[in-house]
Amino acid sequence: MSTEKFSQEETVALTGDSAANHIRPLEMDLESSGSASKSAETNNRREAYKLCFGAGGIYIAFLYYGSLQEDVFRFQADDGSTFQFAWFLQFLEAVANLIVGYIGRRVVGGTHGLPMKPFAITGTTQVFAKALTSLALAKGLSFPVATLAKSGKMAPVMAGQLILGGASYSLRDYLQVAAIIVGTVILSLGKKKGGESSSSTLGIFFIILSLVADGITGGVQKKLKADMSEKGMSPKPYDFMLFTNIYMCLVALAISVCFGEILSGSMFCFSNPAVLWLVIQFSICSAVGQSFIFYTVAHFDPLVCSTVTTTRKIFSVLLSIFTKGHVMTAQGWIGVTIACGGILSEVQAKISKSRNLKSKVSM
């Protein structure tokens, strides 16, 4: 009897221990699942904060950058003279970017042994593209027209790759570019009240040249990345910022000296402290904006940065229209709508393409 009773108690004890052993792993699984869920939620929140920081920085810096650029070239001194020193402005902007690029490269680190020739070419074409845009504004092209026209930079890139690279594009690609160009043309041909055109022939000429320079810059940068990849080199973001701006600075300085803009531009700025302050803020915003772009590219897919910078142009146009006193006719609004539609379609196409690639990779 006692032996039978002992074995029953032992059995109950063993059964209890076994059940407890089964329960503990379940509890641990629930705890680990809960902690994993909290960890994922924390990571998502952290990524959202990073995106808000990067995208917000780009929007704020470049919206203000565009507004300041327009203010610089609309500035009128007491004697009626205006700021016409596009190359001097580009020299100062390149200096600000060079300083930030140098500091960023010292902090983050860089890649040694990079060939300088591609940076010299891209720096030259890029500073020409920027200076020609400034010249377009200086010669009377309105900021909304210039900004929408620059959004059509894909046109010369496509033309160059069709002629030289044998590339092919979809009907949608052509329609998107056509919408941007047609919308910009409609806006530029619009008349203000009183019959005055909202643009100038010389300004349009300069913005077209700027687009050509953009097309060359894009092609050279693509080749630069491909060459670096073949050599096993991986340039870091601040490598591009530093070395490109070194050559941008040198080219802008050389041309400013040739045109006498260093002296005349400096005299104009010191005689008009208001425009000097605008130029300083403009240069700082450019450097800060570039840093936010590199931050966003470093933490997210390049498509995120491309989407932010592209949509920013739409907001720049609208901000200029509503805050700078542009008088818009019905024709002008039609042009803006068509061009912005082309820009948004381009963004949507990039997002769809990215999703399709990711789904193929996951399969």
Side-chain angles (χ1 to χ4, degrees), residues 37-55:
S37 178
K38 288 180 180 178
S39 177
E41 185 179 346
T42 302
N43 288 335
N44 290 337
R45 190 181 296 114
R46 190 180 294 115
E47 291 298 302
Y49 289 150
K50 288 181 180 178
L51 179 59
C52 289
F53 179 72

Side-chain angles (χ1 to χ4, degrees), residues 93-95 97-98 123 126 240-250 290:
E93 182 183 355
V95 169
N97 278 274
L98 193 157
Q126 199 167 323
F240 284 103
M241 188 172 184
L242 174 62
F243 296 129
T244 301
N245 278 283
I246 286 175
Y247 293 102
M248 289 178 71
C249 184
L250 292 174
Q290 286 294 324

Side-chain angles (χ1 to χ4, degrees), residues 216-249:
I216 297 172
T217 301
V220 174
Q221 286 179 337
K222 188 174 182 179
K223 187 176 185 302
L224 169 62
K225 291 178 181 178
D227 291 343
M228 296 295 179
S229 179
E230 288 179 2
K231 295 177 182 178
M233 294 182 175
S234 179
K236 295 181 179 179
Y238 283 105
D239 290 328
F240 284 103
M241 188 172 184
L242 174 62
F243 296 129
T244 301
N245 278 283
I246 286 175
Y247 293 102
M248 289 178 71
C249 184

Side-chain angles (χ1 to χ4, degrees), residues 131-281:
L132 288 166
T133 300
S134 294
L135 283 169
L137 294 172
K139 298 306 177 184
L141 189 67
S142 72
F143 181 82
V145 172
T147 304
L148 288 177
K150 291 286 284 184
S151 299
K153 66 173 65 176
M154 189 60 190
V157 173
M158 289 172 65
Q161 292 188 359
L162 282 169
I163 296 170
L164 302 175
S168 60
Y169 296 94
S170 66
L171 176 61
R172 179 172 179 170
D173 291 328
Y174 291 112
L175 291 176
Q176 287 166 180
V177 173
I180 297 172
I181 295 172
V182 170
T184 304
V185 170
I186 291 173
L187 175 61
S188 65
L189 294 178
K191 302 290 182 179
K192 298 178 182 178
K193 290 181 179 179
E196 183 186 354
S197 175
S198 62
S199 59
S200 70
T201 303
L202 192 56
I204 292 173
F205 173 71
F206 280 130
I207 206 68
I208 290 173
L209 290 180
S210 177
L211 285 170
V212 173
D214 277 330
I216 297 172
T217 301
V220 174
Q221 286 179 337
K222 188 174 182 179
K223 187 176 185 302
L224 169 62
K225 291 178 181 178
D227 291 343
M228 296 295 179
S229 179
E230 288 179 2
K231 295 177 182 178
M233 294 182 175
S234 179
K236 295 181 179 179
Y238 283 105
D239 290 328
F240 284 103
M241 188 172 184
L242 174 62
F243 296 129
T244 301
N245 278 283
I246 286 175
Y247 293 102
M248 289 178 71
C249 184
L250 292 174
V251 172
L253 176 61
I255 296 177
S256 294
V257 170
C258 290
F259 289 166
E261 290 191 10
I262 292 292
L263 181 60
S264 57
S266 299
M267 291 178 63
F268 185 89
C269 287
F270 287 118
S271 299
N272 300 278
V275 79
L276 174 61
W277 177 233
L278 290 174
V279 169
I280 291 172
Q281 291 179 87

Side-chain angles (χ1 to χ4, degrees), residues 66-67 69-70 74 133 136-137 140-152 180 183-188 192 198-199 207 313-328 332-333 335-337 339-340 343:
S67 179
Q69 185 178 30
E70 185 173 9
R74 293 181 69 177
T133 300
L137 294 172
L141 189 67
S142 72
F143 181 82
V145 172
T147 304
L148 288 177
K150 291 286 284 184
S151 299
I180 297 172
T184 304
V185 170
I186 291 173
L187 175 61
S188 65
K192 298 178 182 178
S198 62
S199 59
I207 206 68
K313 294 175 183 177
I314 297 177
F315 289 108
S316 288
V317 170
L318 296 176
L319 182 66
S320 175
I321 291 173
F322 290 120
T323 64
K324 304 297 182 182
H326 294 285
V327 181
M328 295 287 290
W333 280 115
V336 170
T337 302
C340 290
I343 295 171

